[in-house]
Amino acid sequence: MPADFLPSRADAPRTLWRGASLATMAPGKPWGWIEDGALLTEGARIAWVGAATELPARLRADDEIELPGGVLTPGLIDAHTHLVYGGHRAREFELRLQGATYEEISRAGGGIRSTVAATRAATDEELLRSALKRAQALMSEGVTTLEIKSGYGLSEHHEARCLRVARRVGERLPLTVRTSALAAHALPPEFEGRPDAYIAAILDWLPRWHAEGLVDAVDGFCENIAFSASQMQRVFDAARALGLPVKLHAEQLSDCGGSEMAAQYRALSCDHLEYLSPAGVQALAASGTVAMLLPGAFYFLREKQLPPVGALREAGVPMAIATDHNPGSSPTLSPLLMLNMACTLFRMTPEEALAGMTRHAAQALGLGHSHGQLSTGRQADFVHWAVDHPNELAYQFGHKPCQLRVHAGVPDAADLARIAPAPEF
Ligand code: DI6
Ligand code: FE
């Protein structure tokens, strides 16, 4: 049992949820399964979870909600997104279909850089409006925690603007938002031919973003078309000096040794990993780093090289799954489709896929102690699904099984009215 994340508060309202089975995703038995379960929330925290037949007789609740069967799981955690940006890249999609590669488009100044131009040209309000819309689409499929990266501003001013928009998304919506500063995503035009000078600029900006409370983690794109492992190391040293955790886009298009370097910094996660070497697998296992697999980008870029799922599994590396929502390589807003693709494309099991968007995704955000499982003391983030078994979540695609989303103990009002209408008098 983890230590309680949220302490018990005698005055917090207590709601008892019953009538559904629970996939708690707590380690131990498959799915952390509890047939015909009950869950008590006390304010924002979970106060009790178990089988309905084992509910303590003295248990007091202010409110009781009877669910019409179905399954409760932890709220989905989309732990890798680039949600804040201007414009789109549908034209680039057409060019790729005609034969141009992602790398060729990037080297010709398109790709990420074209989104940087559109993002810089957009107002704060435009960026916020589009990011809110995208976040709401993710929420409609059960997302309760969302990581949002910067990375399309690439200057002190524009990166900070994107991080502020990300914070605002978390203030406006019933959603937990974690930010990652991804200034080391691509070389901005002002620094053409001077990547080391750009890295030096990031080292200068980072403490000010941190002082403004804009940064929960520091990320980078370690790749031939982006930054080298030694350049990323300078950024990670700066993050470490500020006490910030790191993560890395690594081995997506080639093996640049990024994962082995990031493991030395005890990175929260390494992400993509199609070209991860056996030594890289061992490095992640030794450092407790989460392998964040992104089937949307693999699919959309029509990659052939699969991430080494079998080796990661064997080495006991926790595997997470995310949408990687971004306009260039993964323009999806469907976390459920990613569960399906994790199974069909990467041969993960449906249970591994769901753990990848709950328990292991929480770990990838440094929230492993407080989120991602239904257990006492954790934040009361959960979803009610119209399914008989959680394996249906990865099996179906294009369905809308999310019936009700609860964030920090508070159900989405419209969902609740539909699923458990108040009795008429
Ligand atoms: N890898 C990716 O797949 C995204 N960023 C990254 O480092 C793509 C971002 C884009 O193409 O706009
Ligand atoms: Fe990404």
Side-chain angles (χ1 to χ4, degrees):
M1 264 299 182
D4 277 11
F5 160 64
L6 293 169
S8 178
R9 278 185 42 207
D11 58 337
R14 289 157 72 97
T15 303
L16 181 64
W17 298 81
R18 53 193 303 171
S21 292
L22 312 180
T24 67
M25 302 314 285
K29 56 183 165 179
W31 307 91
W33 184 249
I34 299 174
E35 186 84 28
D36 188 17
L39 186 151
L40 181 74
T41 61
E42 183 186 64
R45 79 191 273 275
I46 297 173
W48 192 89
V49 186
T53 51
E54 288 167 19
L55 263 171
R58 308 177 285 104
L59 196 140
R60 176 189 64 79
D62 304 296
D63 200 6
E64 196 167 314
I65 295 171
E66 185 70 27
L67 296 162
V71 174
L72 289 188
T73 70
L76 299 188
I77 298 175
D78 194 353
H80 181 140
T81 83
H82 309 243
L83 214 71
V84 179
Y85 60 85
H88 63 76
R89 308 243 287 276
R91 179 65 193 138
E92 179 181 315
F93 177 52
E94 290 186 308
L95 292 174
R96 283 199 296 106
L97 291 172
Q98 288 160 19
T101 68
Y102 183 79
E103 283 104 320
E104 283 164 3
I105 291 167
S106 165
R107 287 188 199 286
I112 293 174
R113 273 202 191 179
S114 65
T115 300
V116 171
T119 303
R120 289 179 175 182
T123 65
D124 291 359
E125 287 66 32
E126 286 165 342
L127 290 177
L128 179 61
R129 208 175 317 124
S130 59
L132 285 170
K133 243 173 107 174
R134 293 174 194 130
Q136 283 169 316
L138 296 170
M139 289 162 65
S140 76
E141 290 201 358
V143 169
T144 53
T145 297
L146 180 60
E147 186 256 17
I148 302 179
K149 302 175 193 301
S150 63
Y152 292 117
L154 307 190
S155 72
E156 179 171 10
H157 169 69
H158 288 289
E159 285 287 295
R161 229 158 57 85
C162 293
L163 291 166
R164 284 185 208 114
V165 167
R167 283 276 185 253
R168 205 99 65 85
V169 169
E171 290 156 13
R172 290 277 185 94
L173 297 173
L175 193 64
T176 300
V177 168
R178 304 291 285 178
T179 60
S180 299
L182 178 58
H185 193 197
L187 197 60
E190 311 81 85
F191 285 86
E192 185 66 54
R194 299 185 297 131
D196 289 318
Y198 181 57
I199 295 291
I202 295 173
L203 304 191
D204 183 39
W205 304 337
L206 196 55
R208 289 196 283 277
W209 298 333
H210 178 53
E212 199 185 320
L214 295 175
V215 186
D216 295 322
V218 174
D219 198 349
F221 187 18
C222 186
E223 193 55 68
N224 291 325
I225 55 170
F227 299 99
S228 68
S230 60
Q231 285 166 337
M232 280 317 306
Q233 205 165 345
R234 293 171 59 200
V235 178
F236 284 1
D237 283 331
R240 183 183 266 174
L242 295 170
L244 287 169
V246 301
K247 42 182 58 234
L248 191 66
H249 289 67
E251 326 333 331
Q252 179 185 8
L253 308 169
S254 63
D255 180 8
C256 293
S259 301
E260 284 160 83
M261 184 280 289
Q264 290 169 14
Y265 289 79
R266 300 210 158 270
L268 288 175
S269 69
C270 284
D271 305 41
H272 288 286
L273 301 178
E274 278 81 347
Y275 288 83
L276 185 66
S277 68
V281 172
Q282 292 313 317
L284 297 187
S287 62
T289 298
V290 173
M292 173 73 68
L293 306 179
L294 303 168
F298 174 89
Y299 162 79
F300 194 64
L301 296 183
R302 306 177 73 227
E303 295 291 343
K304 299 287 176 287
Q305 172 88 18
L306 284 161
V309 168
L312 289 166
R313 184 186 287 133
E314 196 160 313
V317 177
M319 292 182 279
I321 299 294
T323 61
D324 190 16
H325 174 84
N326 76 73
S329 71
S330 190
T332 179
L333 288 168
S334 177
L336 292 175
L337 180 59
M338 298 305 104
L339 295 185
N340 177 268
M341 286 187 176
C343 300
T344 53
L345 300 176
F346 292 171
R347 314 309 286 170
M348 290 171 75
T349 68
E351 187 191 351
E352 283 175 330
L354 187 60
M357 266 207 190
T358 53
R359 186 170 78 237
H360 295 156
Q363 207 178 322
L365 296 182
L367 300 175
H369 60 295
S370 56
H371 290 68
Q373 298 176 42
L374 302 180
S375 65
T376 304
R378 286 174 188 266
Q379 179 154 312
D381 290 353
F382 52 91
V383 181
H384 178 250
W385 306 95
V387 298
D388 297 321
H389 192 278
N391 62 10
E392 290 171 57
L393 299 177
Y395 154 71
Q396 300 173 334
F397 52 101
H399 289 234
K400 292 281 174 205
C402 175
Q403 298 276 91
L404 171 77
R405 216 187 57 102
V406 178
H407 176 257
V410 180
D412 288 344
D415 289 354
L416 187 62
R418 190 164 20 85
I419 189 174
E424 285 178 32
F425 293 102

